[in-house]
Amino acid sequence: MGERIVPLSIRPIWARAGNRRPRIVASAGRILPALLLTWNLGAFERARPGYDYQFPRDYFEHPEFQSEWWYYTGNLATTEGRRFGFELTFFRAGLDSRRTGAGTWDFDQVYLAHFVVADIEAGRTLKTERINRAGPGIAGASHDKRTIWNGNWSVSFLPDDPLRPPQRMWAGVDGVSVSLSLAPSKPVVVHGVDGISRKARGPGRASHYLSFTRLLASGVVEIGGTEHAVEGLAWMDHEFFTDSLSSDQVGWDWMSVQLDDGIDLMLYGIRETGGFRSAFSSGTLVEPDGQASHLEAEDFRMLPGRTWRSEETGAAYPVEWAVEVPRLGLRLKVRPLRDAQEIFSERGFTPTYWEGPVTYSGERDGQAVTGRGYLEMTGYDKPFTLGGQTGGPGE
């Protein structure tokens, strides 16, 4: 039997709320493959209010929804202070949920994975990607196996507390690898209201979205045959949906925030045509004890600052930001560890976007705070689309 969790008890925030060699490119994001296929979206379930979350079941695959991702990021360091960022992301795209009895190699599900290591002091980001069918166990996300995998890249959930399961991660290729133990210091968080994270107006324009916002990470980063013992903090997002953004929404800016005082924040601002921020932007505040509160768009501000322009696409990304949550007395400056973090997929599986590790500094109720996390920005080179459909942040 799994353990059930009731979606966020909403309170007003003011009441306490295939393998490739690595190359020098930017990191991967939580974006599903932009496959040039005709998806029968009408055959899939859509994210609707009242979803009955159960764990550990909902950490794994939901083939009744068209799109799904599992997204791990983290900031790591050696005892000498050498810093690394990492990402390991697994994506599933369903082509038609009505196809049943598919053969072993039938093409009804696509699995994409990205693996990234950002070596901050060396000034480089090493990235590789792979795409597979499920085939005879090549890729998947099995509740029975308690594992998410693509080839030999995997994250396994250990049989422990269903709301705080320890996890083991491994990914590597051509002398670059990450091997980590991940221990949740807070229980799983369900984002949004009534079980959905709404992205736009209309039925189903939403996702089911959960996170581990503070994973204590320890293990080894290997680069060029040299192993580095590391520790740090990681973040995990899992999201499943069928429709999300609407046609007048061109992209989003997403932040994971892990402050040294124990506060975590997930924030995303959805951008509309003309540069306006959507009223469906939202976030989540997670207290040090794990209690979570929903943030509406009016509860926070994400103010863009200095930009970096890509020589490859010409897109100008605001790599520095100011974040304000007035009712918390929270003001933060956001700074990237590297400006050049744009990703351009040569295979065309993903749109172009910016993703990378950042630091936070500022004050909360007059007290100095610092922290770390990740920033993702989409839709700056052109409006974000996904296989002819709009996508979603999370994202």
Side-chain angles (χ1 to χ4, degrees), residues 32 39-48 64-69 92 94 196-209 239-247 249 252 268 270 384 386-393 395:
L32 288 164
W39 290 331
N40 188 349
L41 296 184
F44 291 95
E45 295 290 334
R46 283 169 166 77
R48 302 187 188 281
E64 64 273 25
F65 294 88
Q66 188 269 327
S67 301
E68 189 162 16
W69 54 59
R92 180 192 60 79
I196 60 170
S197 175
R198 186 171 292 282
K199 307 302 195 297
R201 185 172 291 104
R205 295 287 189 178
S207 69
H208 300 302
Y209 179 13
E239 197 157 6
F240 48 102
F241 60 96
T242 295
D243 257 340
S244 193
L245 298 188
S246 60
S247 60
Q249 296 172 325
W252 65 82
Y268 66 80
I270 300 175
F384 175 81
L386 179 62
Q389 301 292 327
T390 51
E395 225 210 105

Side-chain angles (χ1 to χ4, degrees), residues 56-96:
R57 179 200 71 185
D58 281 319
Y59 299 137
F60 303 102
E61 192 167 80
H62 298 79
E64 64 273 25
F65 294 88
Q66 188 269 327
S67 301
E68 189 162 16
W69 54 59
W70 299 260
Y71 185 98
Y72 288 83
T73 59
N75 285 272
L76 307 171
T78 66
T79 55
E80 296 79 21
R82 182 169 176 175
R83 296 172 297 171
F84 300 94
F86 84 89
E87 298 181 33
L88 180 60
T89 61
F90 301 91
F91 308 103
R92 180 192 60 79
L95 307 185
D96 189 338

Side-chain angles (χ1 to χ4, degrees), residues 83-275:
R83 296 172 297 171
F84 300 94
F86 84 89
E87 298 181 33
L88 180 60
T89 61
F90 301 91
F91 308 103
R92 180 192 60 79
L95 307 185
D96 189 338
S97 70
R98 297 177 304 178
R99 297 173 66 181
T100 59
T104 298
W105 292 104
D106 203 7
F107 198 56
D108 61 343
Q109 300 282 334
V110 177
Y111 295 87
L112 175 70
H114 289 160
F115 171 54
V116 180
V117 176
D119 186 347
I120 305 304
E121 275 64 43
R124 59 182 181 174
T125 300
L126 306 172
K127 178 256 180 181
T128 188
E129 61 186 10
R130 59 176 55 163
I131 187 167
N132 276 305
R133 309 180 204 186
I138 294 176
S142 168
H143 174 245
D144 291 340
K145 296 179 179 179
R146 299 295 200 273
T147 300
I148 305 152
W149 77 98
N150 194 313
N152 61 350
W153 304 350
S154 67
V155 175
S156 295
F157 286 63
L158 303 184
D160 204 330
D161 180 352
L163 301 185
R164 301 190 189 201
Q167 298 157 50
R168 300 288 184 268
M169 169 190 294
W170 189 90
V173 61
D174 292 345
V176 178
S177 67
V178 171
S179 177
L180 294 175
S181 296
L182 303 171
S185 65
K186 299 179 182 181
V188 63
V189 169
V190 173
H191 299 285
V193 178
D194 198 15
I196 60 170
S197 175
R198 186 171 292 282
K199 307 302 195 297
R201 185 172 291 104
R205 295 287 189 178
S207 69
H208 300 302
Y209 179 13
L210 60 93
S211 295
F212 291 104
T213 65
R214 189 165 291 241
L215 293 162
L216 306 180
S218 61
V220 174
V221 172
E222 178 187 1
I223 296 181
T226 300
E227 294 187 347
H228 306 274
V230 293
E231 293 184 346
L233 288 179
W235 180 290
M236 182 270 202
D237 275 352
H238 180 207
E239 197 157 6
F240 48 102
F241 60 96
T242 295
D243 257 340
S244 193
L245 298 188
S246 60
S247 60
D248 63 343
Q249 296 172 325
V250 299
W252 65 82
D253 308 300
W254 175 94
M255 296 179 188
S256 64
V257 185
Q258 297 164 315
L259 298 180
D260 293 337
D261 64 2
I263 291 289
D264 299 328
L265 287 162
M266 184 283 292
L267 302 172
Y268 66 80
I270 300 175
R271 300 191 316 282
E272 298 179 340
T273 303

